[in-house]
Amino acid sequence: MNKPLRRASIFSLLLVLSLLAWATYVQLARGDSLRDNSHNSRVAISQYAGPLGDILAGGKPITGSASTDGDLKYKRTYTDGKLWAPVTGYASQSYGSTQLEALDRQVLDGSDSRLKNPLEAVTRERSKPGDVITTINPAVQKAAYEGLGNKTGAAVALDPTTGAVLGLASTPSYDPGSFAGSSTKDQKAWLALQKDEKQPMLNRALRQTYPPGSTFKVLVAAAALENGLYSSVDEPTKSPDPYRLPGTVTDMHNENRSAPCENATIRTALEYSCNTVFAKMAVDLGQSKVAAQAEKLGFDDSKLDIPVRAAKSLYPSGMNDSQTALSGMGQFDVTATPLQMAMVSSAIANDGKLMTPYEVDRTTDGSASALDRNQGKTYGEAMSKHTASELQSAMGTVVDEGTGTNAKIPGVTVGGKTGTAQHGENNSANPYAWFISYADAGNGHKVAVAVVVEDSDAARADISGGGLAGPIAKSMMKAALADTGS
């Protein structure tokens, strides 16, 4: 063999060996990632080769599957899709999946190894898909969704004793079934949702943050009691009215100029929602103590998964005293999700113990056998039992005699706090209306709720937390306690 031919042969051999090495690497080292890549058409073909498992609420499926004529033999269907979209997310042949549809995809499409019997493990046949059992109470969910109606907003209900999410609504909503397939009609539905300025696909309950306004005052009150600034909600505070913001020539007044806010007790200050009291209280505490209390209740947690990840609620740092004062009334750069404010109310209702929110009770093998089960987990001791008891009493006064009377439920102990948060440059836009609350039926059954109305058709002068958000919270609490005979 002459030299040029020998060199060509050696070069060809090296190419073959390199190709074999690369193929081996791809199969062994990158096989799993390539199989799971969303751009791999085989993934979608496998996922939709048979009916998907179901997501259930109240023991009934809120999802289903329908046969198609294409390579993807089945597509996802939804019952009352707009009602349940904030819980399920979507599963689309063309656009992937989100929320529970994505996080529990392997259970729902049968690819989870826990679903395989020994024969299926050898033959690699598709297993019978499993189901996802949520904690959502359908009556609470319906009350939240119908209460929000045409308004833009969100509502969350929690079981304070376990952390179970009982309701999770966001409006405007969308029908995930409208683009579950791969037809031209599905594509048009998807594009229309992407262009919709009202952002119906935004999960406002979990992923949108708002200034919490006066609902944040209960957190500042908790910090004051926890740090010994005041011993009870009935001790007079040191609060001038008006209150001059530190380092400025600006005097802060209260919305109701005739309210008894000067040196008011925490109970009275919550009842009349006195800005001056809580602005001064935040400055007296200092931002570090308010921040510590906020963190105990879930603020600044960037990894809160229920299992869908919630956006981080923020109590800012690096503020001067006047900014700290504004933060005391839930303004400046304080932001919170509706889930976060439901957690605040939940900790108070649960005697100071905050449970980690969760919306999946268990996943199953499609029958009665559970693959895993959520037993509930303590997030932390957010405050002492004494502090929680004091705040329960003061929030009860808000509902019985103050701005939250729209949330009263006969025969049930209800506590709440209204909030109207400024919005837009120089407060030019309509404010956000908030209401956080808890209800205790007295038989071990409790519920904690947060509602925010971002936009409605109400006149600006008629926008209030008690007027817009309070009745929604009341309907959710009544639905949650309905099976207790209350």
Side-chain angles (χ1 to χ4, degrees), residues 261-272:
C261 292
E262 183 175 358
N263 300 325
T265 64
I266 290 175
R267 183 188 302 277
T268 298
L270 287 175
E271 178 184 349
Y272 288 91

Side-chain angles (χ1 to χ4, degrees), residues 216-230 233 266 270 278 281 285 289-290 293-294 296-297 344 347-348 382-384 386-388 390-391:
F216 192 75
K217 291 172 182 174
V218 298
L219 188 152
V220 178
L225 294 169
E226 287 289 276
N227 287 280
L229 185 63
Y230 299 106
V233 295
I266 290 175
L270 287 175
F278 293 99
M281 195 179 294
L285 285 165
K289 289 181 179 178
V290 180
Q293 183 62 62
K296 288 181 180 180
L297 286 159
V344 172
I348 293 169
M383 63 192 74
S384 69
H386 168 74
T387 294
E390 290 285 304
L391 292 176

Side-chain angles (χ1 to χ4, degrees), residues 53-56 104-112 114-116 127-134 360-374:
D54 285 317
I55 299 173
L56 290 84
D104 289 307
R105 178 180 64 84
Q106 292 184 327
V107 170
L108 293 169
D109 69 13
S111 63
D112 192 302
R114 294 172 296 175
L115 295 168
K116 295 187 180 300
S127 302
K128 177 185 176 183
D131 294 329
V132 176
I133 315 298
T134 73
V360 174
D361 178 73
R362 63 192 184 278
T363 58
T364 74
D365 62 1
S367 59
S369 299
L371 301 176
D372 53 48
R373 186 183 296 271
N374 198 326

